[in-house]
Amino acid sequence: MKLAIVGHGYVGLVTACVFAHLGNDVWVIGHTAEKLKRLQSGDPIIFEPGLEELLQKNLEAKRLRFTSDFTEALQGAAVVFIGVGTPPKQNGEADLAAVLGVAEHIGKHLTNPYTVISCKSTVPVGTNLKVAEIITRVKKPEVQFDVASCPEFLREGTALGDTLHPDRIVIGSNSKTAIDTLLKLHKPIDGERIITNLASAELIKYASNAMLATKISFANMIANLAEASNANVDEVLHAVGMDKRIGRLFLYPGVGYGGSCLPKDVKALIHTGESFGVDMALLKEVDQINISARKKILKKIKEMDDTKHIAIWGLAFKPDTDDIRESPPLHIIHELLEDGYHITVYDPEAMENVKKQMGSKITYAKTSYDAVKDADLLLILTEWNEFKQIDLTAVHKLMRNPAIIDGRNIYDPATIREKGFSYVSVGRP
Ligand code: UDX
């Protein structure tokens, strides 16, 4: 099948590489010449395990092309996916300018007798109808199309596996032809098929991310209570999660959730709910608890006397990505700088992105060990495996004061104290 995909971020590029890998002829549309050139030469631009290899393999096989030319890309495409960003506006609402702008471009350049236009971007309820309205307004009269919502549930760091082996494939459309075309396209991919109307599919994506965020904020709330009452949050949530109705995943407390999706999607869903007159108090609290999680770490730091030089391990919003969008570590660093701390950072992948944003305000270490040299405190903010397997005796020797605040609970408190560290974690005695 020939496919066109507008957008080459996490969603667009991963979708493109996976469908090309499955034998389709995939055209990716972007508008920045320099980025298209890099992609066409095999550089995925973003860091995602396995993506570079898949990109290069499919470029070689000529199943993948990058272009800024809508006419060429859309010609003969059975499905056109929209995979551009929906960043938050100041009031939390999702900014649909890119999605609606792309809809107009698609409409103007459609020449096929029939095309399925499917949105993979996370968009509020009603957006696909707006996309359909725009295309209807600008398209040539002889051209036919249907819209479908086909939300993407991939996580950064495991994006390829998530796309090839998803728990479910959601297809929302009011058109049987569109649903059948998308079912055919997804045939080689596992996962239960869920066919819905447009609005349900749009809401499923937000509701899923809001539920994940709710679990994390719930875990952080229980961690606060555990800390206050001498309970151990690990033991509590392990037992809670063993109930099959609840499940253990996404019940890990820490410095809160970040990334390009959860924070913005929670805010956007609050905004959508309120625009329909629905009380969204639960999600407002989820958002607040998430902010308090990082404030709590800051409070713990300020309670430590004689701390001036802080080493930070972990800058990405989670391991296995270089993404620092809405990363809790970055929020924490900004506040620490305002209070005059000297900060040395290390992250296995996210250093370059942080340098672009923070410049010379902080010091960049080459290794985890370099970062802790002469530090008064080590702050762990992302749970990279490298930190879990570190030589703690060497770390102890390098620090001026062997103190650790572990924002991701990666160490066993008893073991680490035996090594001579003062150790504070989240929700554990
Ligand atoms: C998320 C959704 O999981 C995915 O389905 C959707 O398509 C995009 O948004 P992603 O942003 O890649 O994916 O990250 P995810 O793995 O969900 O983690 C989000 C944040 O939650 C991270 O900052 C992570 O550190 C934090 N988290 C996760 C916790 O603090 N505790 C947990 O138990 C789990």
Side-chain angles (χ1 to χ4, degrees):
M1 212 181 266
K2 176 171 174 183
L3 308 175
I5 299 181
V6 191
H8 45 65
Y10 274 96
V11 170
L13 188 59
V14 170
T15 306
C17 288
V18 165
F19 280 126
H21 169 69
L22 296 174
N24 298 286
D25 176 22
V26 183
W27 291 63
V28 181
I29 308 171
H31 58 71
T32 316
E34 182 251 320
K35 285 190 182 168
L36 292 170
K37 208 170 143 199
R38 278 172 71 185
L39 289 160
Q40 190 65 50
S41 73
D43 169 5
I45 303 175
I46 49 172
F47 171 79
E48 178 63 35
L51 189 60
E52 188 166 356
E53 294 84 329
L54 204 61
L55 170 68
Q56 291 173 358
K57 221 172 95 188
N58 285 287
L59 281 168
E60 265 167 44
K62 303 214 181 312
R63 285 191 296 257
L64 199 50
R65 270 162 265 235
F66 294 88
T67 179
S68 56
D69 185 341
F70 272 80
T71 311
E72 187 186 27
L74 264 49
Q75 213 162 43
V79 181
V80 180
F81 284 111
I82 301 177
V84 293
T86 51
K89 289 186 187 172
Q90 203 71 37
N91 63 356
E93 186 185 359
D95 185 345
L96 297 178
V99 170
L100 302 181
V102 161
E104 185 157 347
H105 275 292
I106 293 173
K108 283 183 178 156
H109 293 89
L110 276 181
T111 52
N112 309 328
Y114 177 79
T115 316
V116 176
I117 314 295
S118 175
C119 210
K120 280 222 166 271
S121 303
T122 304
V123 290
V125 174
T127 307
N128 277 282
L129 287 180
K130 286 188 193 155
V131 166
E133 270 167 34
I134 293 173
I135 298 177
T136 306
R137 183 163 46 78
V138 299
K139 75 176 180 65
K140 294 173 189 66
E142 68 277 17
V143 155
Q144 304 280 318
F145 78 98
D146 281 312
V147 289
S149 169
C150 198
E152 180 51 68
F153 300 97
L154 63 82
R155 290 161 298 172
E156 291 181 22
T158 51
L160 295 181
D162 288 347
T163 309
L164 277 163
H165 309 287
D167 294 332
R168 74 295 206 197
I169 292 168
V170 176
I171 300 173
S173 182
N174 307 329
S175 148
K176 185 166 182 322
T177 318
I179 292 169
D180 288 345
T181 309
L182 287 165
L183 281 173
K184 194 173 157 205
L185 175 66
H186 285 85
K187 204 155 187 224
I189 300 179
D190 330 327
E192 186 138 343
R193 273 64 176 151
I194 296 171
I195 309 300
T196 69
N197 68 14
L198 276 175
S200 297
E202 290 168 330
L203 193 51
I204 284 168
K205 174 65 201 245
Y206 276 107
S208 301
N209 276 356
M211 185 67 217
L212 294 172
T214 303
K215 285 189 87 175
I216 298 167
S217 282
F218 177 83
N220 279 317
M221 180 194 73
I222 296 296
N224 288 344
L225 185 51
E227 219 163 281
S229 61
N230 204 34
N232 181 329
V233 74
D234 284 354
E235 291 167 1
V236 174
L237 291 177
H238 176 65
V240 169
M242 281 177 81
D243 185 326
K244 288 191 188 66
R245 293 168 302 173
I246 300 170
R248 183 67 173 104
L249 298 176
F250 277 74
L251 269 188
Y252 292 89
V255 289
Y257 58 81
S260 65
C261 294
L262 263 46
K264 99 171 158 53
D265 292 352
V266 166
K267 289 188 176 70
L269 191 54
I270 293 170
H271 190 275
T272 306
E274 289 183 338
S275 72
F276 281 98
V278 175
D279 180 1
M280 301 303 281
L282 171 66
L283 287 186
K284 285 184 177 168
E285 206 49 49
V286 166
D287 188 37
Q288 278 312 309
I289 293 174
N290 195 50
I291 294 168
S292 324
R294 55 181 190 250
K295 298 264 180 221
K296 193 122 203 258
I297 293 283
L298 285 161
K299 190 165 168 268
K300 287 177 179 169
I301 297 168
K302 285 172 194 166
E303 281 166 5
M304 300 185 85
D305 297 330
D306 232 11
T307 302
K308 287 189 187 67
H309 179 187
I310 302 178
I312 295 183
W313 282 356
L315 301 168
F317 81 97
K318 65 172 191 178
D320 293 325
T321 176
D322 65 352
D323 198 339
I324 54 164
R325 285 177 288 176
E326 280 301 315
S327 179
L330 271 282
H331 285 292
I332 291 172
I333 291 173
H334 281 293
E335 297 219 19
L336 290 176
L337 285 174
E338 272 181 25
D339 290 335
Y341 290 97
H342 172 71
I343 296 170
T344 304
V345 299
Y346 173 73
D347 184 284
E349 294 294 340
M351 300 286 270
E352 286 309 311
N353 285 340
V354 173
K355 264 184 207 164
K356 281 182 211 151
Q357 203 182 99
M358 308 283 309
S360 58
K361 289 188 193 139
I362 53 179
T363 308
Y364 303 90
K366 286 207 166 55
T367 66
S368 334
Y369 297 103
D370 283 347
V372 298
K373 259 183 215 153
D374 300 326
D376 304 317
L377 169 67
L378 166 60
L379 193 55
I380 302 171
L381 298 179
T382 315
E383 67 278 32
W384 286 93
N385 279 339
E386 171 178 335
F387 307 148
K388 294 180 186 166
Q389 268 139 40
I390 210 92
D391 176 355
L392 286 164
T393 312
V395 171
H396 188 283
K397 272 191 201 140
L398 287 164
M399 292 183 75
R400 192 185 73 85
N401 174 40
I404 297 180
I405 294 182
D406 180 355
R408 296 287 186 177
N409 288 1
I410 66 172
Y411 298 127
D412 168 50
T415 319
I416 198 121
R417 284 187 194 118
E418 263 167 35
K419 300 242 175 226
F421 287 94
S422 101
Y423 180 72
V424 174
S425 55
V426 181
R428 303 191 294 182

